[in-house]
Amino acid sequence: MSLTIISSVYEVCSDAAGIAGNIFAFGLFLSPIPTFRRIIRNGSTEQFSGMPYIYALLNCLICLWYGFPIISPGIILVATVNSIGAIFQLIYIIIFIAYATKPMKLKMLGFLVSVFAVFASIVFVSLQFLDSSSRQLFIGYLSVASLISMFASPLLIINLVIKMKSVELPMGLEQYWGQSSWPCMPISKELHKRN
């Protein structure tokens, strides 16, 4: 009886962590809107970098793949939020490309094609060469690496922020909370399986 109660509490806490992660992530995905309003209003990307959105798109695609039932059963919330995030990031990148200078447009298009090529390679390798448990571990580690690169991507423009004495970064506190709460759900589900 007490094991059933503990299991029920665990399920509720796990789902709550997943829902909280989705809410924080949605805030993260909305946070660049003021930057893109400015880009559209001014008709220029000015000195903004598109790289944080490229990293965020790759991160969302990898985490989306990690959340698919074929990779990690039982964490569909990770897949749903990252599918929404990938759409947002793709929209931001398209807007960025539309308002960028010609050399920057070509550079960003190259990065965008590279993101899709890398993601397609990850999907191919994980399906063709790895068994179920190895696939989950492989994609999990890639998720962690992509999260770290996404967290670090705003550092690419820190020099510009210091020069301009502006603190308008493309991602804020929502990034930290959103990304740090996602691992809670799969980790807790894995611990529950072991008990």
Side-chain angles (χ1 to χ4, degrees):
M1 175 86 173
S2 66
L3 188 57
T4 306
I5 293 171
I6 291 171
S7 181
S8 296
V9 169
Y10 159 78
E11 297 276 330
V12 169
C13 290
S14 178
D15 290 343
I19 292 167
N22 283 358
I23 291 168
F24 290 131
F26 194 70
L28 162 69
F29 301 142
L30 294 176
S31 66
I33 288 176
T35 300
F36 282 92
R37 279 189 185 150
R38 179 174 163 180
I39 287 171
I40 292 168
R41 183 179 59 241
N42 295 341
S44 168
T45 57
E46 300 171 5
Q47 292 186 349
F48 289 110
S49 172
M51 291 310 294
Y53 309 104
I54 292 289
Y55 286 121
L57 176 62
L58 182 60
N59 172 63
C60 287
L61 291 172
I62 293 171
C63 291
L64 166 66
W65 185 234
Y66 180 76
F68 265 51
I70 191 172
I71 304 296
S72 302
I75 59 168
I76 197 70
L77 287 174
V78 173
T80 57
V81 75
N82 281 289
S83 63
I84 292 167
I87 291 167
F88 270 95
Q89 299 311 318
L90 190 56
I91 290 169
Y92 295 144
I93 292 167
I94 290 169
I95 293 169
F96 191 90
I97 290 170
Y99 289 96
T101 61
K102 188 171 182 174
M104 183 58 72
K105 283 182 190 200
L106 294 173
K107 185 177 179 182
M108 290 299 292
L109 281 169
F111 284 130
L112 185 58
V113 168
S114 297
V115 163
F116 287 121
V118 166
F119 180 65
S121 300
I122 290 168
V123 170
F124 178 77
V125 166
S126 65
L127 290 176
Q128 294 299 316
F129 301 111
L130 301 172
D131 63 21
S132 181
S133 62
S134 297
R135 185 181 308 136
Q136 185 177 22
L137 194 60
F138 173 68
I139 301 302
Y141 281 129
L142 285 177
S143 273
V144 170
S146 70
L147 285 166
I148 291 169
S149 77
M150 191 176 86
F151 279 130
S153 67
L155 296 176
L156 292 171
I157 61 168
I158 201 71
N159 191 30
L160 179 63
V161 169
I162 292 168
K163 278 184 193 173
M164 295 178 67
K165 296 180 180 163
S166 168
V167 292
E168 187 173 350
L169 291 175
M171 299 174 190
L173 185 59
E174 298 89 359
Q175 178 184 29
Y176 172 75
W177 288 113
Q179 300 298 332
S180 63
S181 60
W182 283 343
C184 295
M185 192 167 62
I187 290 169
S188 63
K189 287 196 185 272
E190 184 62 33
L191 290 173
H192 181 65
K193 280 187 219 175
R194 293 180 184 175
N195 291 334

